[in-house]
Amino acid sequence: MTVGADIAVTGVGLVTPAGTSTAATWAAVRAGRPTAALDPTLEGNSVRLSCRVPGFDADALLGARRALRLDRFVQFALVAAQEAVADAGLDPGSWDGARVGVVMGSADGGPGTVEEQHLVLITEEARRVSPLLLPMQLPNMLAGQLAIALGARGPNLVVATACASGATAVGTARDLLTLDRCDIVLAGGSEAMITPLVMAGFAQMGALSAREHDPDSASRPFDVERDGFVAAEGAGVLVLERAADARARSARVRGRVVGYGASADAHHVTSPHPQGVGAESAVRAALADAGAAASEVGHVNAHGTSTPLNDLAEGQMLSRVLTGSPLVTSTKGVTGHLLGAAGAVEAALTVLSLEQGVVPPTAGLSCLDPRLDIEVATTATATRAELALCNSFGFGGQNAVLAIAAA
């Protein structure tokens, strides 16, 4: 593998249904502990399963006054970003903020704030609507608030490519570093879409798992009996730097983003192309960007949503494109589907897999769909892989694939 732009991951921060830190999340993912449960906030909805972040106390983590002025999706991101920056050994008080960028992804911004304030509008009166409605719910506030908190004055943007948003953000950050627009970029995604209205919409589409009788097996990627995804919330943030810059400051390099590919299916609003044509194009582009052959891929953190169409198209595409039977996992069996944050969280988990030499299991998988010819991890499995792919696909036919290498 000949790496073109060698971008180092020097910091990781996670807030997920598996834990409110990277260590807690990794421990649960590695152990294959599902997080889906019946959600009392969804009482009355036709589907009541979700994967919530446990014990998230924004007041304690961010300060009560500050937390009150932020939507939940921004709260998650700030906590994850603080962990990532500390993990990278960086001090925002001493860096050159003009050379620090923030690129985040979110599919929907802050629907919780919108629904809450709409209720105020219809049950009280217009003058009771909060003046913070727009500053709290606008998607761009995800990156804007991180920049304010950390003094990052470089390029600042939020990308929205549905469930590929987090991966698109990491890929875009890679481009900024490659083009020398920044020296450091905080990249990731955050989502807090588990609201009655959003979940009702997903349920009406038939996208959600209805296995309320058995939440632990509701999210079951690649299983023959999969019936839909379980919606999740949370955030993932990675600190990215050029590898040479990281070495110059003696930073610990946890992994490297060596390739990025993106494409559009141009096929359907919600369904993937049945032959995975767009996904294949993104995989091949990521490998070409990394200067790697398909045979060099030793691990794939799949999009693997637990939906009938996605898992079939993705699994068949992987067996067609990759050689050498790389070990495949979908961490959504544990975390559920973090929607616009999924790609960033899964990129971080892919870095940890390569760093620690362990591919986590695909929780919930009991019987692999016989139409799939891929090797899926069902237990934590040792790996000597040096190169992995992290796939993210979204509504509208959005495809984003990251090629991640060991440090």
Side-chain angles (χ1 to χ4, degrees), residues 57-144:
D57 187 342
D59 289 355
L61 293 167
L62 299 170
R65 179 176 173 81
R66 186 185 195 186
L68 184 65
R69 304 169 73 85
L70 302 173
D71 186 273
R72 192 169 171 87
F73 84 117
V74 176
Q75 294 173 355
F76 291 152
L78 277 172
V79 173
Q82 289 171 352
E83 182 187 21
V85 170
D87 185 48
L90 291 167
D91 176 10
S94 62
W95 64 24
D96 179 3
R99 296 290 296 173
V100 180
V102 180
V103 185
M104 296 292 290
S106 183
D108 200 22
T113 293
V114 173
E115 290 184 35
E116 177 186 273
Q117 292 303 309
H118 184 250
L119 184 62
V120 171
L121 176 66
I122 63 176
T123 59
E124 300 182 39
E125 53 186 323
R127 68 185 185 91
R128 301 293 295 176
V129 171
S130 172
L132 293 174
L133 166 62
L134 293 175
M136 288 177 68
Q137 68 89 22
L138 288 172
N140 77 292
M141 290 299 174
L142 180 57

Side-chain angles (χ1 to χ4, degrees), residues 74-328:
V74 176
Q75 294 173 355
F76 291 152
L78 277 172
V79 173
Q82 289 171 352
E83 182 187 21
V85 170
D87 185 48
L90 291 167
D91 176 10
S94 62
W95 64 24
D96 179 3
R99 296 290 296 173
V100 180
V102 180
V103 185
M104 296 292 290
S106 183
D108 200 22
T113 293
V114 173
E115 290 184 35
E116 177 186 273
Q117 292 303 309
H118 184 250
L119 184 62
V120 171
L121 176 66
I122 63 176
T123 59
E124 300 182 39
E125 53 186 323
R127 68 185 185 91
R128 301 293 295 176
V129 171
S130 172
L132 293 174
L133 166 62
L134 293 175
M136 288 177 68
Q137 68 89 22
L138 288 172
N140 77 292
M141 290 299 174
L142 180 57
Q145 289 283 10
L146 263 62
I148 291 168
L150 297 169
R153 305 193 313 276
N156 184 276
L157 64 151
V158 169
V159 299
T161 53
C163 299
S165 298
T168 303
V170 175
T172 302
R174 170 179 162 77
D175 290 345
L176 288 174
L177 289 162
T178 301
L179 294 169
D180 195 28
R181 309 294 190 201
C182 304
D183 295 328
I184 300 167
V185 183
L186 276 69
S190 190
E191 208 74 90
M193 288 173 64
I194 303 173
T195 69
L197 181 60
V198 172
M199 293 295 285
F202 278 137
Q204 287 299 102
M205 290 171 57
L208 301 177
S209 172
R211 297 178 68 92
E212 295 189 359
H213 62 286
D214 186 12
D216 281 355
S217 68
S219 183
R220 47 198 303 125
F222 302 115
D223 193 273
V224 69
E225 294 186 358
R226 65 191 183 278
D227 70 329
F229 70 80
V230 179
E233 61 180 6
V237 176
L238 289 76
V239 175
L240 303 181
E241 308 174 57
R242 284 178 293 274
D245 294 342
R247 288 193 295 270
R249 69 177 186 90
S250 301
R252 175 183 61 161
V253 175
R254 306 199 66 171
R256 298 174 297 141
V257 181
V258 295
Y260 168 57
S263 69
D265 282 356
H267 168 70
H268 191 270
V269 174
T270 58
S271 297
H273 190 285
Q275 283 75 52
V277 171
E280 177 178 342
S281 175
V283 166
R284 293 190 185 281
L287 290 172
D289 190 32
S295 59
E296 294 180 76
V297 177
H299 168 46
V300 179
N301 191 315
H303 188 54
T305 57
S306 183
T307 55
L309 295 180
N310 173 85
D311 290 12
L312 180 62
E314 182 180 18
Q316 292 182 337
M317 179 274 294
L318 290 174
S319 63
R320 182 174 67 248
V321 175
L322 303 181
T323 58
S325 298
L327 195 55
V328 177

